[in-house]
Amino acid sequence: MNRKIRVLVAKPGLDGHDRGALVIAQTLRDRGMEVIYTGLRQSAAQIAQTAIQEDVDVIGLSSLSGAHKSLFPKVMEELRKREAEDIPVIGGGVIPEEDIQFLLDHGIQRIFTPGTPMTAVADFIEEKVQGDSV
Amino acid sequence: MSEHFTEQKKIWEQQSEKVKERFPERKDPFTNLSGIPIEPLYVPQNESNYDDYAEKLGFPGQYPFTRGIQPTMYRNRFWTMRQYAGFGSAKETNERFRYLLDQGQTGLSVAFDLPTQIGYDSDDSMAEGEVGKVGVAIDSLEDMEILLDQIPLDKVSTSMTINAPASVLLCMYIAVAEKQGVPKEKITGTIQNDILKEYIARGTYIYPPKPSMRLITNIFEYCRDNVPKFNTISISGYHIREAGSTAVQEAAFTIADGLAYVDAALESGLEIDEFAPRLAFFFNAHNNFFEEVAKFRAARRVWADLMKNKYKAQNEKSWRLRFHTQTGGSTLTAQQPDNNIVRVALQALSAVMGGTQSLHTNSRDEALALPTEESARIALRTQQIIAHESGVADTVDPLAGSYYVEQMTDEVEKQIREYLDKIEDMGGAVQAVEEGYMQREIHQAAYEAQKRIESKEDIIVGMNEFTTDEETHADLLKVDEKLEQEQIERLGEIRANRDQQLVDERLRDLKEAAEDPNENLMPHILACVKAYVTVGEICHTMRDVFGEYTGA
């Protein structure tokens, strides 16, 4: 690895719960990654645009408002429009089990639900990025 | 004998008698199962402790209110059991409200969806996917009429978790009450209306701090003259705690925010006793039982001191920190969700031991979704069991005099005051928020807490210890995906059927009023909502004048 892993942590939609996103961001920084946090109320287009500008390796989406089934696929669509669908996207938040398959079918790589250790998220990102770069 | 003590005792006896005339004691006599009589209040038995007692604890209902803000607390009346509810359409939420009232709930608490809370109509592109998700969607007065249908607003008090557009929703509530024949002087309830904690922790802000503070003082002033029984603000530590703060930070930052509102109101020309009696607070209850009890008692003592001695309030009602409590959402686990019932019971007990005025108990499934009707019922039953079966409400402040609780109360108070001094040195809460100070403190505490969980220094039963192979969660509440489209269609009909000329006129008038910083916006907003101008239209008009907040 020549460069640090770059991660975009994003809050799509109107949800204001950012405790999880902020804690994840700091955990990833402590693991030596570079983390860009978007702040609240980002549109899908803004998130895709930022991901490309910042040349990130992974995008992490956080939603606790129940709007994930509408918002996460929209981010995927905006990435595709910009031919950036190769950037892996992961998600987390209050997401019922029964919605997970739907999100995976829309191209999200992995959904982390409440209670997941932060280290598991960091491990997943490292494996994903290093695996892809081999 | 201590004079101070004797005098306080006399006042307490007189005040207790007065309460009894209005609300007789729940039982006569109070005894436990062994037949031992239970006194309304226990005080030190040793006279040498009287002076110290009178100064630091005092009698309930008297300064410094350590033991509670009413002389008899729950001997006569329990706290208000108030479950926060709302999802989907106004009609569905109305049905849930009427169900909860039938089940013995004594007050309403409305959850609004995010578009409503941030001032977007359901058909705004920003609202896509969010309509009716975390609460009920309210676009126009018609939605509010449906929401409150058949609920007698002269009898039921309603708490509304609404902040940036609090003025708009309060005006809608007033308008519906008037249609029911209930004058605005008679309605009771609370609007959250606490914008500072939105910047700090909760995220549903719209405008920058200055115009936001103006809207808040406009509401104080309007309600003083027109809606005297409504709590004009609920200064909230709840969300600060959920965002990761410690118990001390929760109390300290909330009180600091409270002082900022007091300062803003004084600056706008109000007198302290004209608005301070209508200030209410909202705290969290997490798992560390005695820490929570100490926090509630310390917060009361600090606020009373500040109002009486620093702000020179004369009316005793201005000194009283009245508060609602909700149990801690972030303490609930998605794993083994039934365990959450026990957590909620312990947390609720700490709120009762801390002297809360009203209480929301969370449902076991809230780490997974909004609660089902069954989960919501168990949550309410939890409060009812504490009230009716445990006996903890039979005497006032039963933990007083415990060496541990009293010393913990003193220590929490000391640490609250240290934070308050620090924030004052920074120029007050508004300044501290703008600099991101509280946000950073909270985030640091949240990160440390997470690390303690991951290292298993802190055990969370069912999550990082005592785990089972994961079960699947049946029976979660799902909000109908069709709802968004239906709400948008109804909104289209309202727009088509109203008097558009009147709407335009009202909005022009609102804009002019917003541009004049000396104008109170409330009458203008009330005129708007009566003409079926929508939440989004009103908020967009003010956005055009005030601008939008974009983060510290």
Side-chain angles (χ1 to χ4, degrees), chain B residues 405-527:
Chain B
V405 170
E406 293 304 350
Q407 285 180 40
M408 189 56 66
T409 303
D410 291 349
E411 186 58 30
V412 170
E413 178 183 358
K414 191 178 130 223
Q415 293 195 18
I416 290 172
R417 287 180 186 279
E418 283 167 9
Y419 265 118
L420 290 177
D421 288 343
K422 201 163 181 182
I423 291 166
E424 192 177 7
D425 288 346
M426 296 175 75
V430 177
Q431 189 66 24
V433 167
E434 286 183 326
E435 287 173 20
Y437 167 70
M438 299 184 217
Q439 295 92 312
R440 281 195 305 278
E441 287 285 301
I442 293 165
H443 169 60
Q444 198 50 42
Y447 187 57
E448 297 302 328
Q450 183 63 29
K451 283 204 293 196
R452 285 196 305 277
I453 291 170
E454 302 209 354
S455 67
K456 292 198 184 184
E457 197 183 318
D458 288 353
I459 299 297
I460 310 295
V461 174
M463 193 183 87
N464 65 1
E465 195 71 279
F466 315 111
T467 54
T468 49
D469 288 337
E470 213 37 64
E471 67 270 61
T472 51
H473 311 296
D475 275 355
L476 294 178
L477 182 110
K478 277 194 284 289
V479 176
D480 188 352
E481 299 287 338
K482 286 196 306 258
L483 175 115
E484 184 160 323
Q485 208 40 52
E486 287 167 8
Q487 180 72 17
I488 291 171
E489 280 164 22
R490 280 208 313 112
L491 176 57
E493 283 167 30
I494 291 163
R495 285 200 223 273
N497 292 327
R498 64 187 182 179
D499 178 349
Q500 190 59 39
Q501 208 182 331
L502 182 64
V503 167
D504 294 341
E505 211 175 283
R506 292 284 188 256
L507 282 172
R508 260 199 313 275
D509 169 65
L510 175 65
K511 186 163 186 285
E512 276 173 29
E515 281 162 351
D516 176 0
N518 296 318
E519 186 72 12
N520 191 317
L521 291 171
M522 284 294 286
H524 304 278
I525 295 170
L526 186 58

Side-chain angles (χ1 to χ4, degrees), chain A residues 14 19 26 30 41 65 118, chain B residues 130 205 242 443 447 454:
Chain A
L14 302 179
R19 175 178 181 167
Q26 185 155 356
D30 284 0
R41 291 191 217 166
S65 72
M118 300 288 136
Chain B
E130 309 265 18
Y205 42 73
E242 289 301 289
H443 169 60
Y447 187 57
E454 302 209 354

Side-chain angles (χ1 to χ4, degrees), chain B residues 144-182:
Chain B
M144 204 67 166
E145 290 163 4
I146 297 168
L147 180 77
L148 300 169
D149 183 42
Q150 295 177 57
I151 294 170
L153 300 188
D154 52 343
K155 296 195 182 72
V156 171
S157 78
T158 305
S159 166
M160 293 191 277
T161 299
I162 194 72
N163 293 280
S167 51
V168 184
L169 275 296
L170 176 58
C171 285
M172 285 187 174
Y173 194 83
I174 291 169
V176 174
E178 283 179 356
K179 286 194 168 194
Q180 282 192 4
V182 180

